Amino acid sequence: MSNLIKQGWRPLTVLILLFIIWELSVVIFEVPKWFLPAPSDIFTVGINEWTEYNQHVFATVELIIIGFIVGSLSGILVATLLHLIPVLRQSMYPLIILSQNIPIIVLAPLLVGWFGFGMLPKLIVITLVCFFPIAISLLGGLQQADRDLRHYMLMAGATTRQMFWKLEWPSALPSLFSGLKISATYSVMGAVISEWLGANKGLGVYMTLASSSFRADRVFVAIFIIVFISLLFFMLIVWLEKRVIRWQASEKRNTNGSS
C-alpha cells in the first residue's frame, strides 16, 4: 500500500490540477453546461442520478466480464494450439494478423444483422478485441523459453507435454499477463462499441441517449465511469499477475530446495 501511495501521488496531483484548471476555465469563460460542464456539475449529476444509470453500469460490467473471459480463453487456446502444432501456426498465423485489419466499428453492424440484438454479437465483438493481444503475447512467450533448459530437458528424455508444462508455460506467464492487461482495457472499449450498435441498456446506450439530448454532463459521467472500470480491471490483472508470479517463484524455490 505504501508503494502504491508513493508511485501514485504524482499522477493524482496532476489530475487534481487539471480538474481545478477545468473548473476555473468553465467559470471564468462562462462556458454553457450543454457544451462543457464543470467537473463539479459532473460529480453532482453522477451522485444524484445514480439510480437512473446504475442498471446501465451493471449491464456493461457483466458484458465486459463475460466477454473478457471468453476472449481470454479463446486466445490462450489458439496460442497453445499454434505453438504445439507448427503446421497449424504456419497456416493460421498470417490470417490472425490479417483479421486485425478489419475495423470493429464496421464489423459490428454486420454481426448485429447476422445474429440479432442479443448478447451473442456483443460477445463476439469483445472476444475479437481481446483475443489478438492474448494470443500473440502468449505465442511469443511460449517460443522464447530458455534454449539451454529446453536442450537439457530433451537430453533428459522429456516429452512434449512435460516440456510444455514444466518449461514453456511457466516462462510464458509474464507475456500472457502482458496480453491480459491490454485486453482488459480493450474489453471495456469493445463492450461500449457493441452497445452503441444495438442494446437496450449499458453505458454505451446511456451515452447515446445523453448525447442526443445534449446532456454533456451525463456523457462525461459515463466517460468517467468507463475510465474507472478500465483502471480497476487493469489493476485487478496486475494484482493477479503478482500473485501468480510470486506463487510460481515460491514453488520453484521449494522444488529446488527439496531436490
Side-chain angles (χ1 to χ4, degrees):
M1 183 62 69
S2 60
N3 291 333
L4 182 62
I5 295 175
K6 291 179 181 179
Q7 296 175 2
W9 73 269
R10 289 186 179 88
L12 182 61
T13 302
V14 173
L15 185 62
I16 293 173
L17 289 175
L18 289 176
F19 278 125
I20 292 174
I21 295 173
W22 180 357
E23 182 81 25
L24 293 176
S25 299
V26 170
V27 174
I28 292 173
F29 296 104
E30 299 180 351
V31 181
K33 289 185 178 180
W34 64 266
F35 184 75
L36 180 64
S40 58
D41 294 329
I42 298 171
F43 181 77
T44 301
V45 171
I47 296 297
N48 295 337
E49 298 186 7
W50 166 250
T51 55
E52 298 184 19
Y53 65 82
N54 59 6
Q55 60 176 342
H56 296 290
V57 176
F58 295 141
T60 299
V61 170
E62 179 184 9
L63 185 60
I64 291 169
I65 293 174
I66 297 175
F68 178 76
I69 292 174
V70 174
S72 300
L73 293 178
S74 301
I76 293 172
L77 177 60
V78 170
T80 303
L81 291 176
L82 293 182
H83 173 71
L84 295 177
I85 308 175
V87 175
L88 189 62
R89 180 173 68 248
Q90 296 170 3
S91 304
M92 299 300 297
Y93 189 81
L95 298 179
I96 295 175
I97 300 298
L98 289 175
S99 68
Q100 297 305 300
N101 295 318
I102 303 175
I104 294 296
I105 196 68
V106 175
L107 183 61
L110 295 176
L111 295 174
V112 172
W114 294 337
F115 302 107
F117 291 93
M119 177 75 76
L120 181 58
K122 302 179 184 62
L123 290 179
I124 293 176
V125 169
I126 302 175
T127 299
L128 289 175
V129 299
C130 292
F131 161 82
F132 183 76
I134 295 174
I136 297 301
S137 298
L138 179 57
L139 185 59
L142 290 172
Q143 294 174 343
Q144 293 176 0
D146 188 276
R147 293 184 178 181
D148 293 334
L149 288 176
R150 186 192 301 273
H151 181 67
Y152 173 79
M153 292 183 68
L154 288 174
M155 292 182 61
T159 63
T160 302
R161 181 177 180 181
Q162 291 172 332
M163 185 79 69
F164 179 79
W165 288 113
K166 298 295 184 179
L167 175 62
E168 295 171 343
W169 177 258
S171 65
L173 284 178
S175 298
L176 172 61
F177 277 103
S178 296
L180 288 173
K181 285 183 282 190
I182 296 173
S183 296
T185 56
Y186 281 7
S187 64
V188 180
M189 175 193 67
V192 174
I193 290 176
S194 65
E195 290 170 346
W196 282 344
L197 302 170
N200 53 16
K201 59 181 178 178
L203 288 174
V205 176
Y206 181 77
M207 290 178 65
T208 302
L209 295 175
S211 179
S212 62
S213 58
F214 297 97
R215 288 297 303 271
D217 49 359
R218 291 183 176 179
V219 174
F220 275 103
V221 167
I223 292 173
F224 289 158
I225 293 175
I226 291 170
V227 171
F228 176 77
I229 293 173
S230 299
L231 291 175
L232 187 62
F233 208 8
F234 182 87
M235 292 172 61
L236 179 61
I237 300 299
V238 171
W239 175 84
L240 184 62
E241 178 185 17
K242 292 181 179 178
R243 294 286 180 177
V244 171
I245 299 300
R246 185 183 305 170
W247 172 80
Q248 179 190 358
S250 177
E251 186 181 63
K252 187 175 181 180
R253 286 195 300 266
N254 292 336
T255 302
N256 293 336
S258 60
S259 61

